[in-house]
Amino acid sequence: MSTDVSKDLISISIDGREVKARPGELLIAAAEEAGIFIPRFCYHPRLPQVGMCRMCLVEVSGPRGFSLQPSCYVPVSDGMDVITDSEKVKKAQDGVLEFLLINHPLDCPVCDKGGECPLQDQTLAYGPGESRFAEEKRHFEKPIAISELVFLDRERCIQCDRCTRFADVVAGDALIEFIGRGDNTQVNVFPERPFSSYFSGNTVQICPVGALTAAPYRFKSRPWDLAQVESSCITCSMGCRIMVQSSQNQVIRYIGLDSDQVNHGWLCDKGRFGHESLSSPDRVTAPLIRKGDSYVETSWANAISIISSKISGIKEKIGSDRIGFIIGSKLTNEDIYAWVKLAKGVIGTDSVDSQLGDGISADVISRLNRATINDAVTSKVVLSFTGDIKEEIPVLYLRLREAVKNGNTKVITIATHSSSLDGISEIQVFPSLDQLRPLAQQITADSSYFPEVSSLIKSSGVSADGEGLVVLLGRENLAWDQTVVEAFALELARVAPKAKFLVTLHGSNFSGGVDLGAVPRFLPGRSSLSDPSAGLRQKWSRFPSHNGKSVKEMFKSALKGEMDLLFLIGSDPRTDFVDTTLSNTALDEIGFVVSVDTFMSESSSRADLVLPAAAFAEKYGTITNLEERIMTVNQKVTPPGLCRPDWEIACEIALEIGSDLGFSSPEEILGEISNISSLHWGLSFDRLSRLSALDGVVIPLTSTPLTLKKKPMFDQISTPGIASVWNQGLASSKTSFIDSSASISDESDSPTESKVPTAISVEPIWPLPPIPGTSEMPLVYCRRLYSQGQLLKNSPHLSRLAVEPRCRISSETARAIGVAVGESVRLTDKAGGAGVFEVEIDDGIREGWVEMVKGMSSSQSFSPIRVDETMNYVKLERV
Amino acid sequence: MTTKIVTARTNLPDSYRLSTYLENGGYQALRKALSMNPEDIQAEVVASGILGRGGAGFETGRKWSMLKQDPVRYLVVNGDESEPSTFKDHLLVEADPHQLIEGTLISAYAIGASMAFIYLRGEFALGLERVQSAINEAYAYGAIGRDIFGSGFSIDLVLQPGAGAYICGEETALIESLEGKRGYPRIKPPYFPAVIGLYGKPTIVNNVETMSNIPWIITNGGKAFASLGSGRSTGTRLFALSGDVAKPGNYELEMAASSFRDLIFSPELGAGLFPGRSVKAIIPGGVSAPWFGPEHLDLPLGQDEVAKAGSMLGSGSVIVIDDHSCAVRAAWRITKFFHRESCGQCTPCREGSGWIEKIMHRIEIGAGTESDLDLLLDVCDNIAPGLSWPPQQTTICVLGPSIPSSVVSAIKMFRDEFLIHIKEEGCPFVH
Amino acid sequence: MSFFTSENLERAQVLLGLYPEKRSALMPLCHLAQAQQGYLTKEAMEEIAKLLEIEPAEVFGTVSFYDMFHTEEVGKYLVSVCTNVACLLRGGLELLEHASDKLEVPVGGTTEDGLFTLEEVECVAHCDKAPCAQVNYRFFGPLGNDSFDQLVEDLRNDQLTDSVPPHGTLSRVFREAPSLVENEVIIAERVAMDQARQERQAAKDSNGGDSK
């Protein structure tokens, strides 16, 4: 049902033309939609307007006749009369441009922005031909590094306030400011306090001149040497829409695309600059086979034949359930499906998993009402029981922060330690393990264990059955077993059946893993193993005969000598599995380990055979983000060396063991997926490349058309550097629009109701906390954006930001054990593994608790998590 | 002899002390006001016809009536007197701070303010000490704080020091500054302080001299005030006379009753020029105003009279430039002032002020060309399109269109002097 | 370790309590820090940021906007000579040149003994005493070359310590008032005042109607 908005529109006159506009809309936007482009610099549709640059002055009628007004600051009102093309307007705009240029260095030939610069473009379109300024220009020291990632050239700056506004208003990191007054005003940081925001790259992206440049891109390329393709970031599960730009077959820049549904144009720095890892010299580029302690290159044919004979041997002699697959989270849906079909449909093992003890079981996820990001930011209340989203899913944090600041929603956090969400939360509660159940049960009731929680939920208008409530569900503390979170969620869903859940796990395509059967007991499309869908029966020749194992179970079997062959598909469990003691000892016990990866990780460097996989931007396909939105990832460069996309490798292996997976391209795979899964019904690349679906589509598709706001596509003044790659030339009148009338899914043959299989039943379990010994302290185990990992290690600029694992405790705890900031403590895990860490004091940590960041180097024998413990404890001593 | 209103006590010994103030009728107006209904006080102020004494000359009664009704609303007194050659508030805060405080309290009661602030220019160290002492005395006396004089009306008054930025005299910049921020003027609309002001709440910003008139108006009635002066120019006004004149100083005169000539030449006022000199130009109302030549000497010192003649009474200051002084140099110095004081928020003022100053300086030191005059006028036109008066503007606030006033006046009135600078490659005057 | 002395920290707490929004205390706190240290150190700005719960960059942004806040060390006496138009007409620029010669520093400079910093300022509203100067924001004028020299000597010889405290100390008078009236009291009063006023207006309107 589309909403008819035309009756709410008002009429204004622009240059004698009647134009329809939405009440309250800014004049500059209304004019642009009507095809009248008004030049601008400070205006940015995702930032509050400031009216500072004065470039967008037009004549607006008022009680005292026409006067010059900034069109970015004036909301339209019915009957408003506007002139944008008079001599007076042109002179004012010319004048402003001349003023902007008098102190600008005009060093375009050596400026990174040259060719995609709004100042350059608009000067060409509107500016005076020559300079009348004969005086000395303003001088500043040429570019200064304001962080590891961003350089600032204050001479080029036109003081538009975009970067400072972004830092303050959007990111909440007011680390850059206007300093000084008048024409001495400069943007700068406080002395010795760098612009260390997770979102600093966005300021480079929106800078309308070459004042802010990104260290990884400086002097790398010219816009006219770039080629680009749209894609989606796979750094985390947000799936931010991006433009991937390359030069000479090398990816050198990402630019955030403005998606209303997803990222609003913003990216986090890890996502934005992680592309450096793609061209790392440490990429695996040929199949490698272990010879003693080292590897030798081998051919694909040989590698595939070795694998084939291993599979056949094991299958025949012992049975396929001694073969397992661990699938990483950065694969495309098509890759995942190909591996799952190989494992479950060809080899016949159900031991396929894509979560490393840091997830939430597919059984639980598939029983929850799922929320979209937009559902969350427009909900009455967001209840957060997840890891620190600023660290794990940074752009989701921006979306939520914006919603809270604008008064669109309220946040309640449930946490065992402080997080970035505290700053935007109305209430934070720190329940003990046994308080979680009553908290869930009484979430919308009158009385509660935490009365302030239910009272806020109620007073905000959430109904008794949970309508209006969105839960951010993730792994708040990895030292608590996932069953804790799962039980909480199921209990809450039971008492508040209308509550929705946004599953905020970190792994980028965790949803694809769950939806496409890369978890035990499930088949693609969330069919249960015991009841495959009709489509599956048609397309698959066989199914596993019995339930397979999770990663944890595979490792336990391995310790008993019951795993003979393990495939690590883009997965590094030696580092990433929560219980590294278990993963490392188990992997040592497995007969043959095949790693399909882009880098020599801890795990692949000890595998028996390593196959080189194509990485992001070297292949195409789709991903599913945390809100079940399917979006495309596209290929921009050719894979290095002998790297191949995962799905191809899976097909090759299948062929070698005598089975044809039945597809030979991602298109055909997606076709098969949409055939066998009602969840994925109606999907195709063709559909995803339509204008109306550029932001992707949320599955299952419904027959309700979604009316989109008409918005400029690739607005090159707001986000320079996209359109310029395609279209060198003038800035004006180049804006194209996504049509508002297009609806995403209005096919007549759409099923009225999609058939999502019901999951296998899981009963909530309520474990009781074990009673710790006196010297043990409860642990908080969490992620940081810049925790050590493959991406950071192989991205030279980001690697400088890597955080050393530190032990964080409260000042009271520190006093109690007699340590100060900077001193070291010894942490001992349950198995006696120990590590020495520097102490950081943070009073967001509860007294007597210890916080550690995940991602310690494997040189530490300390491994704090035991998979069978509900809560994990460590011993803390002064060194 | 003109009635003295705001300077009635300024010559008394220890005029700034509470005891002096009380001995001379102090705080009687506040007592009277607290016995009246707020709207009746407002009616008196409307009847007085008093125009704001800060520079814009808006009717105070009308300003008050525009205040949005909200239980939280503020009164802010603008004591950031920085318009060059204006020094009247300087006198009032140092010599009679209780008068200012009493006027502020009456006004706060009249408009129902929930809190009042006096924002005083930071460079007024003595003024800050005098006003703070007076506030302390007034609290102790029971004139400020809880249940003032047993009336049931309570209010707090906080003195806020500025820190050196001309632009904070602009009322929205002052509000930003009072919020602890850079003094960037806000864009009007929608930031009319009476609707969205301090902390986003409705706010009235009134000048020190305006506030200092309020006790007299309450004591004597709005009608008595309106009977002074003529036309819209009611009451008296403090004129700050400076420049090439024998006796510069603050003179309280009935509005529109005297002329520029009276102010400058009257023996008990300016007492004329230095021997053998004549008036070349006068700058009325502060350096933002267009200049007058000697032909305007007989113009009455009234709001509309001066406006009609093409300038403004503004802050009530009058600068005299005699025939031994260089008009180019004076105009250059004024542009230098605006260059230094431009806040830098919007482009035309930030960049234009420096450009204009640089060209003016070049001409003054003899490095200009004739085409620079056209360039100057065109650059000015890009800040204040049409170069008309009152000006239009491409800028956020009125600082921008104030820059061209002196440049355009000087070029119009003294083009010859510019040409001599250019031809002789230097300033022909002896400094 | 706090930047502020314990006495000043108490004053800072008073300032923080004066405003409906804390950040309004920023400028008063900066004046307080200058009174303690003579200028604003990095540590002072960081401490103020902490007290206001904002970023140091935000404090710096505000500080750098205002001429009276100095982030570099200044002399014990800041001599500010006005050269704006009223003073200019009476010899302000020449006085500035003389001051520079007398103190043997360029404009903006500080004497080697750290006693004087010379600056050129815009109008300080003392035009009836043109040409004028301020020393630590205390007024002097009209000043000729001789009277300027005398002023410098008096300052050097500690003749003016009563009227001219060292740079940074702006007002030596502090607020001595009871704590602010509680917000609820004020709001209740105002709501009642507005209501009474509306009732009076209504009564007046209906009376007006009757009399017709």
PDB file of all heavy atoms in Angstrom, chain A residues 553-565:
ATOM      1  N   GLU A 553      31.622 -29.026  19.185  1.00  0.00           N
ATOM      2  CA  GLU A 553      31.519 -30.491  19.189  1.00  0.00           C
ATOM      3  C   GLU A 553      32.564 -31.127  18.264  1.00  0.00           C
ATOM      4  O   GLU A 553      33.108 -32.191  18.571  1.00  0.00           O
ATOM      5  CB  GLU A 553      30.103 -30.911  18.793  1.00  0.00           C
ATOM      6  CG  GLU A 553      29.083 -30.590  19.875  1.00  0.00           C
ATOM      7  CD  GLU A 553      27.651 -30.438  19.361  1.00  0.00           C
ATOM      8  OE1 GLU A 553      27.452 -30.430  18.119  1.00  0.00           O
ATOM      9  OE2 GLU A 553      26.739 -30.316  20.195  1.00  0.00           O
ATOM     10  N   MET A 554      32.828 -30.464  17.144  1.00  0.00           N
ATOM     11  CA  MET A 554      33.857 -30.989  16.244  1.00  0.00           C
ATOM     12  C   MET A 554      35.200 -31.031  16.969  1.00  0.00           C
ATOM     13  O   MET A 554      35.948 -32.005  16.869  1.00  0.00           O
ATOM     14  CB  MET A 554      33.987 -30.109  14.991  1.00  0.00           C
ATOM     15  CG  MET A 554      32.861 -30.275  13.984  1.00  0.00           C
ATOM     16  SD  MET A 554      33.246 -29.349  12.468  1.00  0.00           S
ATOM     17  CE  MET A 554      31.907 -28.200  12.395  1.00  0.00           C
ATOM     18  N   PHE A 555      35.490 -29.966  17.712  1.00  0.00           N
ATOM     19  CA  PHE A 555      36.779 -29.920  18.412  1.00  0.00           C
ATOM     20  C   PHE A 555      36.849 -30.987  19.502  1.00  0.00           C
ATOM     21  O   PHE A 555      37.871 -31.632  19.708  1.00  0.00           O
ATOM     22  CB  PHE A 555      37.032 -28.529  19.007  1.00  0.00           C
ATOM     23  CG  PHE A 555      37.392 -27.493  17.962  1.00  0.00           C
ATOM     24  CD1 PHE A 555      37.207 -26.135  18.210  1.00  0.00           C
ATOM     25  CD2 PHE A 555      37.946 -27.863  16.726  1.00  0.00           C
ATOM     26  CE1 PHE A 555      37.542 -25.193  17.264  1.00  0.00           C
ATOM     27  CE2 PHE A 555      38.283 -26.915  15.779  1.00  0.00           C
ATOM     28  CZ  PHE A 555      38.071 -25.580  16.045  1.00  0.00           C
ATOM     29  N   LYS A 556      35.722 -31.179  20.173  1.00  0.00           N
ATOM     30  CA  LYS A 556      35.722 -32.206  21.223  1.00  0.00           C
ATOM     31  C   LYS A 556      35.902 -33.596  20.610  1.00  0.00           C
ATOM     32  O   LYS A 556      36.617 -34.436  21.160  1.00  0.00           O
ATOM     33  CB  LYS A 556      34.431 -32.135  22.029  1.00  0.00           C
ATOM     34  CG  LYS A 556      34.432 -30.949  22.975  1.00  0.00           C
ATOM     35  CD  LYS A 556      33.188 -30.949  23.834  1.00  0.00           C
ATOM     36  CE  LYS A 556      33.312 -29.877  24.914  1.00  0.00           C
ATOM     37  NZ  LYS A 556      32.064 -29.758  25.671  1.00  0.00           N
ATOM     38  N   SER A 557      35.273 -33.809  19.472  1.00  0.00           N
ATOM     39  CA  SER A 557      35.460 -35.075  18.773  1.00  0.00           C
ATOM     40  C   SER A 557      36.910 -35.240  18.364  1.00  0.00           C
ATOM     41  O   SER A 557      37.475 -36.339  18.435  1.00  0.00           O
ATOM     42  CB  SER A 557      34.582 -35.139  17.517  1.00  0.00           C
ATOM     43  OG  SER A 557      33.242 -35.025  17.866  1.00  0.00           O
ATOM     44  N   ALA A 558      37.484 -34.127  17.904  1.00  0.00           N
ATOM     45  CA  ALA A 558      38.873 -34.186  17.460  1.00  0.00           C
ATOM     46  C   ALA A 558      39.784 -34.654  18.588  1.00  0.00           C
ATOM     47  O   ALA A 558      40.709 -35.447  18.373  1.00  0.00           O
ATOM     48  CB  ALA A 558      39.324 -32.824  16.947  1.00  0.00           C
ATOM     49  N   LEU A 559      39.499 -34.182  19.802  1.00  0.00           N
ATOM     50  CA  LEU A 559      40.333 -34.577  20.936  1.00  0.00           C
ATOM     51  C   LEU A 559      40.240 -36.083  21.173  1.00  0.00           C
ATOM     52  O   LEU A 559      41.155 -36.698  21.689  1.00  0.00           O
ATOM     53  CB  LEU A 559      39.912 -33.821  22.200  1.00  0.00           C
ATOM     54  CG  LEU A 559      40.212 -32.314  22.207  1.00  0.00           C
ATOM     55  CD1 LEU A 559      39.742 -31.682  23.514  1.00  0.00           C
ATOM     56  CD2 LEU A 559      41.695 -32.042  21.988  1.00  0.00           C
ATOM     57  N   LYS A 560      39.092 -36.643  20.769  1.00  0.00           N
ATOM     58  CA  LYS A 560      38.920 -38.091  20.922  1.00  0.00           C
ATOM     59  C   LYS A 560      39.396 -38.831  19.668  1.00  0.00           C
ATOM     60  O   LYS A 560      39.162 -40.019  19.520  1.00  0.00           O
ATOM     61  CB  LYS A 560      37.439 -38.409  21.176  1.00  0.00           C
ATOM     62  CG  LYS A 560      36.966 -37.974  22.558  1.00  0.00           C
ATOM     63  CD  LYS A 560      35.531 -38.429  22.833  1.00  0.00           C
ATOM     64  CE  LYS A 560      34.571 -37.273  22.594  1.00  0.00           C
ATOM     65  NZ  LYS A 560      33.165 -37.659  22.652  1.00  0.00           N
ATOM     66  N   GLY A 561      39.979 -38.086  18.760  1.00  0.00           N
ATOM     67  CA  GLY A 561      40.468 -38.714  17.548  1.00  0.00           C
ATOM     68  C   GLY A 561      39.374 -39.061  16.562  1.00  0.00           C
ATOM     69  O   GLY A 561      39.523 -39.937  15.723  1.00  0.00           O
ATOM     70  N   GLU A 562      38.249 -38.356  16.632  1.00  0.00           N
ATOM     71  CA  GLU A 562      37.118 -38.713  15.774  1.00  0.00           C
ATOM     72  C   GLU A 562      36.881 -37.733  14.628  1.00  0.00           C
ATOM     73  O   GLU A 562      35.826 -37.716  14.021  1.00  0.00           O
ATOM     74  CB  GLU A 562      35.852 -38.844  16.632  1.00  0.00           C
ATOM     75  CG  GLU A 562      35.897 -40.062  17.539  1.00  0.00           C
ATOM     76  CD  GLU A 562      34.809 -40.064  18.598  1.00  0.00           C
ATOM     77  OE1 GLU A 562      33.958 -39.133  18.578  1.00  0.00           O
ATOM     78  OE2 GLU A 562      34.822 -40.956  19.460  1.00  0.00           O
ATOM     79  N   MET A 563      37.836 -36.836  14.373  1.00  0.00           N
ATOM     80  CA  MET A 563      37.721 -35.968  13.193  1.00  0.00           C
ATOM     81  C   MET A 563      38.916 -36.253  12.292  1.00  0.00           C
ATOM     82  O   MET A 563      40.064 -36.190  12.719  1.00  0.00           O
ATOM     83  CB  MET A 563      37.744 -34.482  13.599  1.00  0.00           C
ATOM     84  CG  MET A 563      36.476 -33.967  14.271  1.00  0.00           C
ATOM     85  SD  MET A 563      34.982 -34.071  13.260  1.00  0.00           S
ATOM     86  CE  MET A 563      35.285 -32.780  12.073  1.00  0.00           C
ATOM     87  N   ASP A 564      38.619 -36.553  11.034  1.00  0.00           N
ATOM     88  CA  ASP A 564      39.707 -36.917  10.126  1.00  0.00           C
ATOM     89  C   ASP A 564      40.016 -35.833   9.108  1.00  0.00           C
ATOM     90  O   ASP A 564      41.129 -35.749   8.602  1.00  0.00           O
ATOM     91  CB  ASP A 564      39.342 -38.202   9.379  1.00  0.00           C
ATOM     92  CG  ASP A 564      39.302 -39.374  10.342  1.00  0.00           C
ATOM     93  OD1 ASP A 564      40.084 -39.347  11.319  1.00  0.00           O
ATOM     94  OD2 ASP A 564      38.480 -40.277  10.138  1.00  0.00           O
ATOM     95  N   LEU A 565      39.022 -35.059   8.790  1.00  0.00           N
ATOM     96  CA  LEU A 565      39.231 -34.034   7.753  1.00  0.00           C
ATOM     97  C   LEU A 565      38.420 -32.797   8.117  1.00  0.00           C
ATOM     98  O   LEU A 565      37.220 -32.892   8.370  1.00  0.00           O
ATOM     99  CB  LEU A 565      38.768 -34.587   6.389  1.00  0.00           C
ATOM    100  CG  LEU A 565      38.817 -33.638   5.197  1.00  0.00           C
ATOM    101  CD1 LEU A 565      40.223 -33.101   4.942  1.00  0.00           C
ATOM    102  CD2 LEU A 565      38.292 -34.354   3.944  1.00  0.00           C
TER     103      LEU A 565
END
